[in-house]
Amino acid sequence: MEKYEKIKVVGRGAFGIVHLCRRRSDGAFVILKEIPVEQMSRDERLAAQNECQVLKLLNHPNIIEYYENFLEDKALMIVMEYAPGGTLADYIQKRCNSLLDEDTILHFFVQILLALYHVHNKFILHRDLKTQNILLDKHQMIVKIGDFGISKILVSKSKAYTVVGTPCYISPELCEGKPYNQKSDIWALGCVLYELASLKRAFEAANLPALVLKIMSGTFAPISDRYSPELRQLILNMLNLDPSKRPQLNEIMALPICIRPLLNLYTDIGNVKMRRIEKPLSTVQPGRQGRPGGRVPTIRSRDGTISLGSGKVHSLPLSSVYTWGNGISSPLRLPMLNTEVLQVSLGRTQKMGVTKSGRLITWEAPSVGSGEVSLPGAVEQMQPQFISRFLEGQSGVTIKSVSCGDLFTTCMTDRGIIMTFGSGSNGCLGHGNFNDVTQPKIVEALLGYELIQVSCGASHVLAVTNEREVFAWGRGENGRLGLGTQDTHNSPQQVCLPVEFEANRVVCGVDCSIIISSQYSILACGSNRFNKLGLDTITTGEEPNPSNQVEEVHSYRPIQSEPLCSERIVHIDIGTAHSVAVTEKGQCFTFGSNQHGQIGCSSRRSSRVPYQVPDLQGISMAACGDAFTLAIGSEGEVYTWGKGARGRLGRKEEDCGIPKALQLDESHPYVVTSVACFNGNSLLAVKPLLEEAALR
């Protein structure tokens, strides 16, 4: 043992102790199986020798690597590769009934498939394939098959008669005492695939006789209908009672459902870190600039394409998403995954969307260092080529909405459950701690409530329930949580509201919060700098005297600035130092700082009085960035004004105090479905809209 330093015992196998060790020569972690051969029966010694013999024959990236074996202190020591990601069984158990998406299932499955194909090509049967014997690397993306203690080496193409293996994975022919060959491993592989798709075993029972009856009948619960018919059929074929009707491994590998994940494996397997697999990406180069507004005369054909005035025919996209700001000076169409995006949200680093099918989609710019180096002070930059992917970890649930904070994200399911992930600083994930979480995790403290809406500030969150209760958590500075203090909370706290106030919608700013009731009354708390919350007492349209000005409140109080407190406000958003509100009549009001013209008047007037933006009528929604404003007209027009640096306004222009229409690269009529701003960035989703005349 001079070559290895024992760290700890990590398990006890069928015939010995399993140690985690450090190899002294290079500091690498390895697994050492200590098998006390002198205390074993002849059959047990043969099994130990068999594992060494089998491991020596195998050399595959998806099989635990064998290093060496030696005798010490009357024990056989087998040294092999360490897989720090735990077992596939543990991975499945931690899903907590949140189904994996099909891409992830197939990503794991094809690796097991390749490993088993290598094993069978060596005329070896694994004979104990199960999720407990399938290990994962530290990133939980690379699969490693292990535990060959009872594998059978077939010196000829014979059949093995010994009945071994874990009962839940035993094939029908073993239950009947019939001989089997490689087709029994394929049955077990089918059981593993079923477990990946349903997060439970295909065959389970209270006792062995009942289990045998279940296996012999070949009946098991169907997998979720969210999965493709091809996946369901593959499981049925592998779990066929007749071994001769089960597919060969090479036949499975040739199936269309397996070809793409196999090709993706060969593309990515060389990357040690092995990032999560992504769907095929479509990149869209910025095209010609379209006209402002959303209406273009069209005629729709019977096959679903649309004809433009030019006579060209284009297929109708499900939706388009644009981004600008942060150095992108004109709207850049983001790549889509052949899906319709209904709602979008922005954080400091996140660009997120919710699809019509209830999935989270994210857009990511290439990592730093992957492109050309830009010189200090450079203004003109190449348009970045974003990639899109569906977010892992929220399969099995339908996402209804998403909201992004500074470095964290919240999403809400169609059943009113809140999930959060990202940075846990300031307790903004609501999990009762300050830990980071990489994949969506349920906020357990709210499981007894049905949430209808959630909003993120930079470092705090508000959520409203169907019973009109409001919960807040995260950073408490400036009294932004509305709990009467400036304390930070890492779990949801119920907000005290007036008895008659029926909360309907919540909005979080950087350092403040707003609640809109179903009766259109508005409460606000936190920083009221520049009167960005409308808490100053203003009745005549004149500047409030100092006694009527409010700088900060720690509990919710009604807004007091006319005309906001008398208009029916249906939409509101808060920027860094200003806000925008849209009335039921489609009027647009701005209030707060006007340092960069974000209020929308031609002058740089500094006023605490709310301002109605002239010439903007029929506004349906609006959003605020750090020092700019965006509004959407009834005809799909996109107006921006305020600070223009680094492309904030979607055009090459410095500060502009007058709303101007933005041009999107759309050749067909569209409606804006969602818009979001964060700091100096914007994200906007549109979908095709055909005029009534064109449908007739």
Side-chain angles (χ1 to χ4, degrees), residues 414-462:
D414 60 341
R415 296 188 178 182
I417 294 172
I418 296 290
M419 298 190 292
T420 61
F421 59 100
S423 170
S425 63
N426 297 299
C428 45
L429 298 185
H431 297 153
N433 54 47
F434 299 93
N435 300 335
D436 297 351
V437 174
T438 57
Q439 294 192 0
K441 180 181 178 182
I442 292 172
V443 179
E444 295 178 4
L446 293 177
L447 277 178
Y449 303 89
E450 183 180 339
L451 284 302
I452 60 171
Q453 193 247 328
V454 64
S455 176
C456 293
S459 54
H460 76 293
V461 184
L462 289 186

Side-chain angles (χ1 to χ4, degrees), residues 452-649:
I452 60 171
Q453 193 247 328
V454 64
S455 176
C456 293
S459 54
H460 76 293
V461 184
L462 289 186
V464 59
T465 75
N466 63 341
E467 298 292 329
R468 308 305 172 184
E469 303 152 303
V470 173
F471 290 87
W473 64 93
R475 188 175 181 179
E477 191 178 355
N478 307 107
R480 69 192 73 181
L481 299 182
L483 300 173
T485 70
Q486 296 191 68
D487 295 342
T488 290
H489 293 273
N490 58 18
S491 62
Q493 307 293 311
Q494 187 165 354
V495 175
C496 183
L497 298 173
V499 176
E500 71 280 1
F501 190 89
E502 294 185 354
N504 185 55
R505 183 168 181 80
V506 290
V507 182
C508 292
V510 173
D511 50 11
C512 54
S513 304
I514 280 177
I515 307 175
I516 306 175
S517 80
S518 52
Q519 297 86 25
Y520 302 100
S521 56
I522 300 175
L523 301 179
C525 69
S527 171
N528 188 47
R529 191 166 50 127
F530 305 110
N531 194 34
K532 65 177 179 178
L533 296 178
L535 289 175
D536 289 1
T537 302
I538 300 173
T539 57
T540 61
E542 297 180 356
E543 292 299 317
N545 59 50
S547 63
N548 287 328
Q549 294 180 11
V550 177
E551 287 303 313
E552 184 174 289
V553 294
H554 299 167
S555 297
Y556 284 96
R557 66 169 65 174
I559 62 170
Q560 299 291 333
S561 300
E562 288 286 355
L564 299 176
C565 53
S566 58
E567 290 283 351
R568 292 188 133 197
I569 304 295
V570 295
H571 186 95
I572 198 164
D573 195 34
I574 313 169
T576 302
H578 80 295
S579 301
V580 63
V582 177
T583 70
E584 192 177 44
K585 299 173 185 176
Q587 300 164 308
C588 182
F589 288 90
T590 52
F591 42 106
S593 171
N594 192 37
Q595 181 181 359
H596 298 277
Q598 62 260 47
I599 293 299
C601 59
S602 55
S603 67
R604 292 290 189 275
R605 69 186 266 280
S606 176
S607 172
R608 298 178 74 93
V609 179
Y611 176 75
Q612 183 178 351
V613 183
D615 302 324
L616 285 188
Q617 300 297 326
I619 299 300
S620 58
M621 63 182 85
C624 291
D626 52 3
F628 68 97
T629 314
L630 186 154
I632 307 300
S634 59
E635 296 290 309
E637 309 95 329
V638 181
Y639 300 99
T640 59
W641 64 95
K643 188 174 183 178
R646 292 186 55 76
R648 281 173 171 81
L649 303 182

Side-chain angles (χ1 to χ4, degrees), residues 140-189:
Q140 296 192 317
M141 284 305 296
I142 299 177
V143 164
K144 303 274 186 178
I145 292 183
D147 203 341
F148 287 82
I150 58 175
S151 300
K152 180 71 176 180
I153 300 177
L154 302 176
V155 292
S156 64
K157 292 186 180 180
S158 61
K159 298 179 176 65
Y161 284 85
T162 316
V163 178
V164 292
T166 303
C168 292
Y169 298 83
I170 287 177
S171 60
E173 58 269 24
L174 275 111
C175 293
E176 291 183 319
K178 295 179 181 176
Y180 69 96
N181 53 24
Q182 298 167 341
K183 292 298 184 76
S184 290
D185 275 350
I186 290 174
W187 172 277
L189 181 60

Side-chain angles (χ1 to χ4, degrees), residues 3 66 276 380 411 417 567 691:
K3 293 167 64 176
Y66 165 82
R276 283 199 174 273
E380 293 295 329
C411 50
I417 294 172
E567 290 283 351
E691 295 175 321

Side-chain angles (χ1 to χ4, degrees), residues 61-123:
N62 298 119
I63 294 174
I64 288 293
E65 187 177 353
Y66 165 82
Y67 295 137
E68 65 171 334
N69 74 82
F70 56 89
L71 283 170
E72 184 165 303
D73 295 333
K74 300 179 182 180
L76 174 66
M77 305 291 193
I78 305 176
V79 186
M80 61 188 73
E81 180 182 4
Y82 171 52
T87 69
L88 191 58
D90 294 335
Y91 179 90
I92 289 170
Q93 187 178 9
K94 289 175 183 176
R95 296 295 299 180
C96 299
N97 297 321
S98 176
L99 294 177
L100 292 163
D101 65 45
E102 190 162 321
D103 277 356
T104 302
I105 291 169
L106 291 171
H107 177 66
F108 286 139
F109 173 72
V110 295
Q111 292 181 72
I112 305 166
L113 184 65
L114 288 171
L116 196 57
Y117 184 75
H118 178 76
V119 171
H120 285 187
N121 275 352
K122 300 289 185 181
F123 301 113

